[in-house]
Amino acid sequence: MHDLIISGGEVHDGFASTPVTADVAITAGRVTAVGKDLGAARRTIDAAGLVTAPGFVDPHSHSDSVPFLPDAQPFKLLQGVTTEVVGNCGFSMGPAEPETAGLSPIQLGEQTFKTFADYLDAAEAAGLSNHFAPLVGHNTLRLAVAGMEKQLPPGGLDRLCALTDEAFAAGARGLSSGLEYVPGAYADLAELTALARIARRYDGAYATHSRSESEGLADALDEAVAVARAAGIRLQVSHCKASGRAVHGAGRLILDKLAEARRSGVDVRGDQYPYRAFCTSMSAMLPPEACEGNVDALRARLSDPVTRAAIRATAEGPGPGIGAGLWRELHPEDMQILRHTDPKAKGRRLAEVLAGRDPWDVLCDLLIADPHAYVVCHTMDEGDVLAIMADPLVTIGSDSDIPIGPNHPRTFGTFPTFLGSYVRDGGVVDLPEAIRKVTSATASQFGLSDRGWIGHGSVADLVVFDPAQIGHAGTYENPELRPTGMVHVFLAGGQVIVDGEFTGERRGRMLRSARR
């Protein structure tokens, strides 16, 4: 007898096959049959008129610290996300040294862990609402070895390699980099390749927030491909976009680069969130050298008029854009201040707080007051978003933050927005292909071979949703609205969303690499 049968739904297998109306049988946490007349079950759920699909796999999130929040957090389950790849953009919660962990302007949370294994154990002990597939972050590794210094100390690369090996031995599924952020921006190709080769030994992937997503886009993508080729490793290009008015229309360049790399033998995919604005640290507007040392050094540089002017010259000067920071991508009306210690600044556009002053000087003063400020930047063109979204090599990833405080709507609505606004309403791809993009295409890239598809033996991480109702009405001003249309969600056969409501159970697991 089966434990559960989900009956009569439009079943999508996750591989973009033609869907079938069928029953899905589950026993001991795995799918045991798909079809008709499957026999008796202890429990049956009617899915007639609904879609039954594999649980969604988010290739790019920053939920690393969510397990340590006091309450279980269903914000991803309500979107249908059963697995999140965490540790992205080069930032993980370990390995960290107490004397250097707080030096970066970007923080994942108040906690850090001496080793990567310590983080994995602590997160699992705290309880996960959905599954995590962990990456170890290059920025975090570099902080542990060299703090915020540009040059590695003697023996530094060997120490980086040793810490990377320890992380993979503990269960990391990949290495991530965030090369627009410090201290990762200080790394060269040889350093990145050395660490990627360690990841390759464990059959891991390399996920990169590349060195530029604007005017230096072509060179940055070439560098990402060069690392992957030199290491023989699967490559995930994070949150593909052409950011800034100077590169609107460059979505085609990204897709051509991905296709060219794949033809040349590099196993590459990209991911994208379905929005025209990104969210990041305000300090990322500056050239990396402005942040060298620590937060106090950053404040001192920005407080000195001569140094401030020199930093501006780099940020606004001619050149390919790599290493110049994100400032050149923006107009003052493009930047929305999301988090800042000054309550008068929060929620307003930079253009709204100028009071007749020069935008660069206002930016610098805002950073002196709060080096950890966050911003939403409205810099993408809808034509590029659509072109990138339609490409078969690009999957959907949220780039979401923790669900506390001011936020970007992608944290609460990425997957329903994609399936509702872009697939059902916009027809950018058909539903079978859309489901492939949020399931098997990502699962395979991160070695999750028994997830992201429905068939005999697959893990029963499943969703049942209403394709007519799936969506999210959240906005940049009011992002926290609950998405609609997700009816049931299962983790290894255990139901965690019932008729659209969270059960409160933390049934997620830390999906450590089997190659450890």
Side-chain angles (χ1 to χ4, degrees):
M1 179 179 287
H2 304 295
D3 292 340
L4 172 68
I5 288 179
I6 302 171
S7 69
E10 180 182 282
V11 178
H12 290 251
D13 64 5
F15 298 128
S17 306
T18 301
V20 295
T21 299
D23 302 340
V24 177
I26 300 166
T27 302
R30 291 188 179 264
V31 173
T32 48
V34 179
K36 299 285 189 180
D37 302 319
L38 301 182
R42 295 179 178 86
R43 182 179 172 222
T44 300
I45 291 176
D46 183 8
L50 304 174
V51 167
T52 303
F56 305 157
V57 182
D58 186 347
H60 193 103
S61 93
H62 297 282
S63 293
D64 307 58
S65 64
V66 168
F68 307 115
L69 296 174
D71 299 316
Q73 299 293 327
F75 68 110
K76 282 300 183 63
L77 292 172
L78 291 168
Q79 298 180 56
V81 174
T82 53
T83 298
E84 295 180 75
V85 179
V86 297
N88 278 288
C89 289
F91 293 98
S92 50
M93 295 189 74
E97 296 293 340
E99 61 270 21
T100 58
L103 297 182
S104 171
I106 295 179
Q107 308 280 329
L108 280 177
E110 294 182 1
Q111 291 176 276
T112 54
F113 296 87
K114 177 77 173 174
T115 70
F116 193 70
D118 288 344
Y119 163 69
L120 300 184
D121 292 343
E124 200 155 44
L128 283 69
S129 297
N130 52 352
H131 306 313
F132 279 8
L135 309 180
V136 63
H138 168 247
N139 281 301
T140 301
L141 291 162
R142 217 176 194 280
L143 273 169
V145 171
M148 288 289 289
E149 299 303 320
K150 186 172 184 178
Q151 299 298 324
L152 292 174
L157 182 58
D158 290 341
R159 179 65 178 146
L160 272 177
C161 289
L163 289 174
T164 303
D165 192 88
E166 288 175 12
F168 277 92
R173 286 193 170 268
L175 168 73
S176 78
S177 66
L179 301 177
E180 280 193 312
Y181 302 127
V182 290
Y186 304 140
D188 59 16
L189 183 65
E191 178 179 321
L192 295 168
T193 300
L195 303 189
R197 285 180 172 175
I198 294 168
R200 199 251 184 256
R201 292 209 316 265
Y202 289 87
D203 194 32
Y206 173 53
T208 183
H209 173 143
S210 59
R211 212 173 284 270
S212 173
E213 295 170 330
S214 185
E215 294 173 70
L217 185 57
D219 290 341
L221 289 169
D222 288 344
E223 178 187 46
V225 170
V227 172
R229 179 175 286 113
I233 194 171
R234 297 187 302 278
L235 171 63
Q236 184 79 11
V237 178
S238 297
H239 38 60
C240 295
K241 59 175 167 293
S243 179
R245 302 176 198 191
V247 293
H248 285 178
R252 186 72 256 163
L253 180 150
I254 297 170
L255 302 178
D256 289 346
K257 289 282 187 184
L258 295 181
E260 179 186 358
R262 200 163 183 91
R263 285 194 300 269
S264 74
V266 176
D267 187 351
V268 58
R269 296 185 191 274
D271 56 69
Q272 174 206 39
Y273 43 81
Y275 299 93
R276 292 172 58 189
F278 66 87
C279 178
T280 193
S281 163
M282 188 183 285
S283 64
M285 305 303 114
L286 305 178
E289 68 240 29
C291 299
E292 188 175 355
N294 55 36
V295 167
D296 290 338
L298 168 63
R299 282 187 164 120
R301 291 186 183 102
L302 297 182
S303 298
D304 177 69
V306 174
T307 308
R308 180 187 287 201
I311 294 170
R312 180 176 193 165
T314 301
E316 297 181 350
I322 287 180
L326 307 184
W327 177 247
R328 65 176 62 203
E329 300 176 25
L330 301 164
H331 292 238
E333 61 269 25
D334 297 336
M335 182 190 291
Q336 187 174 354
I337 302 165
L338 187 65
R339 302 174 201 161
H340 197 279
T341 54
D342 180 358
K344 295 179 181 178
K346 284 195 298 187
R348 303 177 70 189
R349 302 286 178 122
L350 182 62
E352 297 173 331
V353 300
L354 295 178
R357 299 180 62 214
D358 179 80
W360 174 259
D361 286 329
V362 173
L363 174 79
C364 293
D365 289 345
L366 287 167
L367 279 167
I368 290 169
D370 185 3
H372 301 291
Y374 262 68
V375 292
V376 170
C377 300
H378 301 260
T379 63
M380 275 88 85
D381 176 72
E382 185 72 0
D384 286 326
V385 172
L386 292 171
I388 293 167
M389 189 180 292
D391 192 273
L393 292 181
V394 179
T395 64
I396 302 300
S398 69
D399 201 5
S400 61
D401 205 342
I402 63 171
I404 304 297
N407 232 300
H408 188 297
R410 66 192 182 190
T411 294
F412 303 96
T414 288
F415 293 84
T417 293
F418 170 61
L419 292 171
S421 298
Y422 283 97
V423 175
R424 180 193 60 233
D425 300 339
V428 65
V429 294
D430 64 19
L431 187 56
E433 170 64 2
I435 290 175
R436 184 193 70 85
K437 281 175 171 285
V438 298
T439 58
S440 68
T442 289
S444 63
Q445 198 72 346
F446 292 96
L448 301 166
S449 59
D450 54 1
R451 288 177 162 81
W453 58 285
I454 294 179
H456 180 76
S458 63
V459 173
D461 292 346
L462 303 173
V463 298
V464 177
F465 67 90
D466 184 342
Q469 297 298 320
I470 195 80
H472 185 231
T475 64
Y476 294 101
E477 291 70 33
N478 188 18
E480 297 184 17
L481 296 179
R482 283 181 54 160
T484 55
M486 193 57 57
V487 182
H488 305 300
V489 178
F490 304 84
L491 297 181
Q495 194 165 7
V496 288
I497 299 292
V498 179
D499 295 324
E501 297 297 328
F502 179 46
T503 65
E505 290 187 81
R506 300 193 188 208
R507 297 184 64 99
R509 290 181 46 219
M510 186 66 74
L511 304 179
R512 307 178 198 223
S513 170
R515 298 291 184 95
R516 65 184 188 277

